[in-house]
Amino acid sequence: MSQTTSPSLPFVQSEMHPSRWGDPALAGPLPDSARGLVELAFGLEDTPGLAEPAVPESGLSDDLLAALRGAVGDGYVLTDDQTRRLRTRGKSTPDLLRMRAGDLSDAPDAVVRPAGHDEIAAVLAAAVEHRIAVVPFGGGTAVTGGLAARREGYAGLVSLDLVRMKGLLAVDEVSMTATLEPGLRGPEAEALLAERGLTLGHYPQSFEYATIGGFAATRSSGQSSAGYGRFDALVVGLRVATPRGELRLGSAPATAAGPDLRQLILGSEGAFGVITAVTVRVRRMPAAKVYEGWRWPSFAAGADAMRTLAQAGLLPTVIRLSDENETAINLARPDDIGDEDAAAGCLMITGYEGEPGAVAAKKDAVTAVLEGLGGTPLGSEAGEAWAHGRFGAPYLRDAMLDVGVLVETMETATFWSNREALYTGVKDALTAELGDGAIVLCHISHVYETGCSLYFTVAAKGADDPLAQWLRAKAAASDAMMAAGATITHHHAVGTDHRPWLTQEIGELGASVLRAVKADLDPTGILNPGVLIPDAPQLASSRPDSSRPDVADV
Ligand SMILES: Cc1cc2nc3c(=O)[nH]c(=O)nc-3n(C[C@H](O)[C@H](O)[C@H](O)COP(=O)(O)OP(=O)(O)OC[C@H]3O[C@@H](n4cnc5c(N)ncnc54)[C@H](O)[C@@H]3O)c2cc1C
């Protein structure tokens, strides 16, 4: 195994605009190709320009700031407005709408930038001593309120910004594992691994900004999950700083040494501890990448084909299927997907990555199955177009918000036998709440032998209060997921937004187990208060922020 030192990456790279997604250089107005469609569907309305809202004064006293400086050094406790603004909340549409409305009530009092595990342990010790709430901050791409911790009852709230922790700590090319620091963004981690001909293969749509620690803390799933696995399936080891001390987890590829404690940390969203290093399984960089399109007569027929492949052990690296609406909207020229009736069909993307021989063999086997099931091969154009534009959609969301259109996404998962009921239930709930003029799109992008995820994109004409409008729709859709017996989230995590539904999903006993773990690892409750862990029933009824989000909470 080779130990490596931290690379000389600049520790602050391009920051996102506080109320927009992504690289500011890539932001722009609605492209002409989409403008006509959007105007036809919703009308165009100029929304007020994006101001830089004022940040509330930092509430931390000099003594508390001194305690934090003692942990990380003088230069790494920042209280200036812009740094605090940039560490406020994540990038869900409600986050963007709140920021556009000038609401910075969740701004941290300070941004603390530790250089490593020991400094994080020291920050946590100071936070426990002075009762300061600590919000771990990776890439800031959270979409379920995981960065909007509760601050009442605390002397202050700090963002624990992991931006200085960007090292590739070790590589074991015999076992094919790599140990990475949590603050590495997706492209940074891939660049470091690429120097050794390795890849992680984890490409969520937030890849440009999301970090290794964030992937683990939210159980992220990437677009190539069928081939490389979800992020939690890639993790073999974790190092975690908790207020009670250090956890080092994962000493063997598999173990029968009791319940797997790594699973307690994966998805714990900073509520149990701060992930300070992640050991992941890595693969050789693929020499060949091929993406193709297929057309199916219906969403159900395409989904059945996905199930057949999954259950035959024949999944490509990428496999995704758009429903009829998404197929028609996402293809700029719907007729290109085959024939005149193409807009009525459903587009599937299949992608293969690996050694050329293995890619060819898998592609042949998958092609035979899909053709046998009635799929129409469309060749590489649709597949390459998807691969080329795969990170572009979030930029379009900003451009649509700019012209008064509400756009947001949500996701869930269920077993194959329940897919249709879940799909219909969520779609109906969204349409009933947002009205017939709303457009609801769906795709399947993560499949398993036993089931799949459903990812919904919703667009509607923005109401006078678009935030309240969306929260009502989201609550209705979340209720529909529960009514269908599905999960409240397949990969976006729980945060604060899904927390009101978590107990329904895991039961009161399950919620009480989470509270017990929290009480043990974080007895003073300084870590991400109000995120993930459901309140005890007697507290839940007395606290407004743990009830269902409705207009009163906006
Ligand atoms: C446009 C867009 C597209 C997205 N696409 C996908 C997608 O395809 N797949 C997917 O899975 N998700 C997706 N997401 C959601 C989001 O990117 C993921 O949840 C991601 O894993 C979060 O990583 P992050 O580094 O940005 O974490 P952050 O947003 O910084 O934090 C997320 C949560 O984890 C906690 N946390 C962060 N780092 C640590 C750490 N080191 N230790 C402990 N806790 C920590 C935070 O406190 C917070 O609760 C998308 C989001 C956006 C905005």
Side-chain angles (χ1 to χ4, degrees), residues 310-325:
Q311 293 175 347
L314 262 185
L315 284 176
T317 313
V318 174
I319 184 158
R320 40 197 301 125
L321 174 74
S322 295
D323 73 354
E324 289 82 352
N325 283 353

Side-chain angles (χ1 to χ4, degrees), residues 21 91 135-143 146-147 162 182 204-206 210-211 213-215 217-218 220-221 269-270 273-275 394 397 491-492 528 531:
W21 168 254
K91 293 293 176 188
V135 181
F137 190 102
T141 69
V143 282
L147 297 166
L162 301 165
Q205 200 178 42
S206 52
T211 61
F215 294 150
T218 60
S220 166
S221 195
E269 301 184 61
V274 182
I275 297 164
R397 172 178 61 163
H491 58 264
H492 280 170
N528 244 353
V531 170

